[in-house]
Amino acid sequence: MSKRVKEVAELVGISVRTLHHYDEIGLLKPAKVTEAGYRLYTDDNLETLQQILFFRELGFPLKKIKEVINSPSFNRREALELHQQMLIEKRRRLDNMITTINKTIKHMKGEIHMTNKEKFEGFDFSHNPYEEEARKRWGDQAVDTVNTGITNMSKDEREHFSKEWDSVCMKLALLRDRSPESQVAQEAIKEWYDLLNKIGNYSPETFKGLGQLYVNDDRFTRNIDKYGEGLAKFMCKSMEIFADNMKK
């Protein structure tokens, strides 16, 4: 049975204006609009809305959500599995932060003693835990350029970059069953290339080498495959094709 916009808003806990906005930007169109102008939403619309709100919870911008859910390769179940993994990781980080806060309060009351190291447990400002490996392969200058790019960002810019990072990784994960040579895969891997070049200077050869590292080093593979099993292998091949095409 279809629901009117007010009923959906009350069911979900969002405003009618939000639903109107989603309709206006083409993110969530109602199944039908009556002659009287009432928007009617079906169960399929509600399932799409659930997906949208999961993406929003993870900090994805509306424009990126629209791109992902309107992609021909979008798979609702796979997306939910990725949401689950990312939210579990987010919960783990929050649990660590809460533990650190609780210990800090007890430390301030004199109930326990905290070491300086313990005071900062739960904080993680880095997306790349493999800096030493990168320095060995590409040299200090390349890594320092990346670190400088991140350091020079404001807090808001870093948060935006973090959201872009997750967004592109999820998009690639949803495409990993496609051919790495396909247009949609190459367009997505270009987004990855452009994103990395916001904080560094990746030549085609360096970009290709980075992709090989994704599959040759188990630490990289595990980190990338958190977004979806087989993603590291898919990205490696896609990055190789992209880099070779750039050199033509």
Side-chain angles (χ1 to χ4, degrees):
M1 183 178 177
S2 298
K3 296 183 180 296
R4 292 186 180 182
V5 65
K6 184 178 180 181
E7 294 174 309
V8 174
E10 292 175 350
L11 172 69
V12 178
I14 59 178
S15 68
V16 170
R17 178 66 196 121
T18 295
L19 289 169
H20 286 177
H21 180 61
Y22 288 174
D23 182 9
E24 290 164 3
I25 65 175
L27 180 59
L28 179 66
K29 289 285 187 183
K32 182 180 179 181
V33 179
T34 68
E35 292 182 2
Y38 292 111
R39 295 173 170 86
L40 299 179
Y41 294 83
T42 62
D43 287 345
D44 283 343
N45 288 141
L46 294 179
E47 289 183 2
T48 301
L49 178 57
Q50 184 196 49
Q51 290 279 1
I52 292 169
L53 296 180
F54 277 134
F55 276 116
R56 290 296 288 160
E57 177 63 28
L58 290 167
F60 282 48
L62 295 180
K63 182 179 179 181
K64 184 60 65 175
I65 297 173
K66 183 179 177 181
E67 286 180 17
V68 172
I69 66 176
N70 288 333
S71 170
S73 62
F74 180 71
N75 181 294
R76 185 172 290 172
R77 192 193 70 184
E78 285 189 359
L80 285 172
E81 290 171 351
L82 288 173
H83 287 312
Q84 182 184 51
Q85 294 170 16
M86 294 173 73
L87 287 169
I88 288 173
E89 176 62 20
K90 182 177 181 180
R91 181 179 65 186
R92 184 191 66 79
R93 293 197 302 268
L94 290 173
D95 285 343
N96 287 340
M97 290 288 289
I98 291 170
T99 298
T100 299
I101 289 172
N102 289 338
K103 290 173 68 175
T104 302
I105 292 172
K106 290 181 179 180
H107 172 75
M108 293 176 68
K109 291 180 178 179
E111 297 175 4
I112 64 171
H113 173 73
M114 289 183 76
T115 65
N116 286 332
K117 182 178 180 181
E118 288 176 321
K119 292 174 184 177
F120 297 96
E121 288 179 350
F123 292 98
D124 182 7
F125 300 107
S126 173
H127 279 290
N128 182 8
Y130 314 114
E131 181 173 319
E132 183 179 351
E133 182 71 22
R135 288 186 184 277
K136 289 179 181 178
R137 290 176 178 267
W138 301 310
D140 290 339
Q141 183 177 356
V143 177
D144 288 339
T145 298
V146 172
N147 287 343
T148 300
I150 295 174
T151 302
N152 289 340
M153 290 181 178
S154 66
K155 181 180 178 181
D156 287 343
E157 287 173 333
R158 284 197 298 269
E159 289 179 355
H160 180 71
F161 181 81
S162 174
K163 291 173 183 177
E164 280 192 288
W165 182 284
D166 284 336
S167 175
V168 177
C169 284
M170 176 172 277
K171 185 174 184 177
L172 286 163
L174 293 172
L175 294 170
R176 68 189 187 280
D177 292 330
R178 294 289 194 94
S179 168
E181 296 179 284
S182 66
Q183 181 179 347
V184 66
Q186 286 300 297
E187 288 175 351
I189 211 67
K190 183 181 184 302
E191 289 186 42
W192 183 245
Y193 179 77
D194 292 341
L195 180 64
L196 292 179
N197 275 288
K198 287 184 178 181
I199 57 170
N201 185 16
Y202 285 82
S203 67
E205 197 60 37
T206 303
F207 188 62
K208 182 177 180 178
L210 179 62
Q212 292 169 349
L213 194 60
Y214 290 170
V215 295
N216 292 336
D217 190 310
D218 289 340
R219 296 168 298 171
F220 279 87
T221 304
R222 286 194 299 269
N223 192 51
I224 294 169
D225 279 2
K226 287 179 181 179
Y227 291 93
E229 187 176 352
L231 177 58
K233 184 177 180 180
F234 170 78
M235 289 182 67
C236 174
K237 187 61 180 176
S238 299
M239 291 164 74
E240 177 184 345
I241 294 169
F242 181 83
D244 288 345
N245 287 335
M246 284 188 69
K247 292 185 288 185
K248 291 179 180 178

